[in-house]
Amino acid sequence: MVTVSQGIVDRFSLQLTFVLFLSVVVVTLFMALLTAPQRDEISEFYLGNRTMSPLRNGLAMCGDYVSAATLLGSTGLVALTGYDGLLYLGGTVVAWMTVLLLIAEPLRRAGKFTLGDTLALRLTRLQRPARLALALCTLVITTLYLVAQLVGSIALLTQFTGEPSPATRTLCVIVIGTVVIVYAAIGGMPGATVIQIIKAVMLLAGVTVTAVMVLQRYDWNPGTLLSAAADHSGTGARFLEPGLRYGASTTSKLDFFSLELAIVLGLAALPHVLMRLLAPRKVDVLRSSLVWAVGLVGLVCLAAGILGLGATAVVGRETIAGTDHKGDAAVLLLANALGGGILTALLSCLAFVTLLAVAAGLTLAAASSLAHDVYGEVIRRGRASETEELTVARLSAVVIGVLAMLLALVSWGANTATLAFLAFAIAASAILPTIVYTLFWRRFTGEGALLSLCGGLVCSVLLVLFSPVVSAAPGSFYPDSDFAWFPLQNPGIVSIPAGFLFGWLGTVLGERRRPRDDTAYKEFEVRMLVGARE
């Protein structure tokens, strides 16, 4: 059996992966510099080329969302848990339908550069405090997700070299983080879009080809593939039934429901996804772009499911769990078994590129919020010049990138999936209620926005601090301590309703102190339904 300390690939694969990764980085950096904003215009830096076709926008949206967690983590989850892993992938596709049907078009019509602009247009009071609270939530979410990507780069490196030394970990994080900073600070949205499109095309090609190889091995018969996966799972028919991971108890069922709820609702509130929704100039282009994004993400999830089942069928569940108990090595073990060192190197390079692209989008979203909402609208009160705001945005990208690198080095042993799911839960608990109330509730006030944002953020973070994620479990941060009174690993089932409740409570309390003024909402509603000339 292969162990983590030995690595799962040979020296040739490591060298080929390095050459391929370096080549992709050089090409994408050149493209980012080539497409970077040539003028000091914040609209170009924040939104990029707004005349792109729906297909290119859809590829960029797909690239923004699909992270290495989908390629490695989701595949491993299917390989280890069978039916439960496939059900998790289904939630990912449903999440995009929520974006398409609920918030995309009204948000695009009412928005400008960031969600803070939409809030300011809607609220008559407490606009600046609401922008600050929104920027804080954005910073927390993007930093968590960004740290997850950087920690994931260390975990991916472990599959090659075994347990890395402190110097190797530091070098890996610094190199990845520096490239991400250059992408975001210099390229802006135009550069990030090019990178996301390149990454999405590479990802779609890589997972599709590998999935075809798996299906061809089993004569294009899904039933044969499922039977082989069950036979090599060590659990027999239970592998294809619910409950192998999440259905063993009532608590695990609730935990799975909480996780799916956070994923389905959290996607609609992730800051880098929201920025992408504001990019198309016309609503019909946005609608078509989202249809493409749903189809492309669905294709990736379908391929990930096939790869997970193929990994169990070809490699065996016991070998996968022995190599990496989280299952992240499943796709690389499968590639090594199907195509040897070349296919392993190709998928490994793809995983590294995926980390880079998602991290660049996150950094850009955080930098845009700090520069536009905090500096431009709160500190400078709208009097900052475009050149000044653009400079702050680029400096913010550097600061956020350095902060994420430091946090990644401190928490390098953390579970990347846990960090990512916490980001989803905070987005769904704090930002989503604010978006829904802003767009669809006439009575919503600045007090409601503040309480919804701050309350959802604090509630979700506190529940995680007192959950098995932090203590009392073998895989927690402090396994020898026990202060986990909240039994679930994901707080969404509690924190998401709490976020909506806080928004309602703040609005009701605010109305008692001041009479309601519907003028702002009437103007906002017209813009949301009809749009504005640009």
Side-chain angles (χ1 to χ4, degrees), residues 279-411:
R281 188 178 298 277
K282 297 181 179 179
V283 174
D284 58 338
V285 174
L286 172 63
R287 188 183 309 118
S288 300
S289 301
L290 280 168
V291 172
W292 273 108
V294 171
L296 295 172
V297 172
L299 176 60
V300 172
C301 290
L302 175 63
I306 294 173
L307 295 183
L309 295 171
T312 305
V314 175
V315 180
R317 183 170 177 265
E318 184 179 352
T319 301
I320 295 170
T323 304
D324 185 346
H325 70 278
K326 300 188 298 294
D328 291 345
V331 68
L332 300 182
L333 289 168
L334 174 64
N336 199 36
L338 292 178
I342 295 179
L343 184 59
T344 306
L346 288 172
L347 289 183
S348 302
C349 173
L350 181 57
F352 275 115
V353 173
T354 301
L355 286 167
L356 279 178
V358 174
L362 291 165
T363 305
L364 179 63
S368 300
S369 182
L370 288 178
H372 184 66
D373 291 326
V374 177
Y375 181 80
E377 298 298 332
V378 175
I379 296 178
R380 295 283 288 151
R381 298 180 178 270
R383 296 191 297 268
S385 65
E386 293 197 1
T387 302
E388 186 180 352
E389 187 173 320
L390 190 58
T391 301
V392 173
R394 286 174 169 154
L395 290 176
S396 299
V398 176
V399 172
I400 292 164
V402 172
L403 175 64
M405 284 189 271
L406 293 175
L407 292 176
L409 291 174
V410 171
S411 58

Side-chain angles (χ1 to χ4, degrees), residues 7 21 32 35 82 92 104 117 121 139 170 198 218 231-232 324 335 356 371 378 385 391 429 439 465 477 520:
F21 176 69
T35 58
T92 302
D117 291 329
L121 183 66
L139 185 61
T170 303
I198 294 174
Y218 293 96
D231 293 339
H232 291 84
D324 185 346
L356 279 178
V378 175
S385 65
T391 301
S429 305
L439 295 178
L465 288 177
F477 289 100

Side-chain angles (χ1 to χ4, degrees), residues 6-76:
Q6 294 171 326
I8 64 173
V9 293
D10 54 26
R11 189 177 184 85
F12 168 75
S13 298
L14 178 60
Q15 293 173 342
L16 182 58
T17 300
F18 177 76
V19 172
L20 291 173
F21 176 69
L22 186 62
S23 301
V24 173
V25 168
V26 170
V27 171
T28 52
L29 279 176
F30 175 75
M31 294 295 293
L33 292 173
L34 193 64
T35 58
Q38 304 299 315
R39 298 165 294 180
D40 291 337
E41 293 185 1
I42 56 174
S43 61
E44 188 177 0
F45 184 85
Y46 293 150
L47 302 178
N49 180 8
R50 309 191 68 190
T51 59
M52 288 196 308
S53 66
L55 174 58
R56 292 172 64 190
N57 270 312
L59 285 169
M61 291 177 182
C62 175
D64 256 326
Y65 175 72
V66 178
S67 65
T70 306
L71 178 62
L72 302 179
S74 300
T75 305

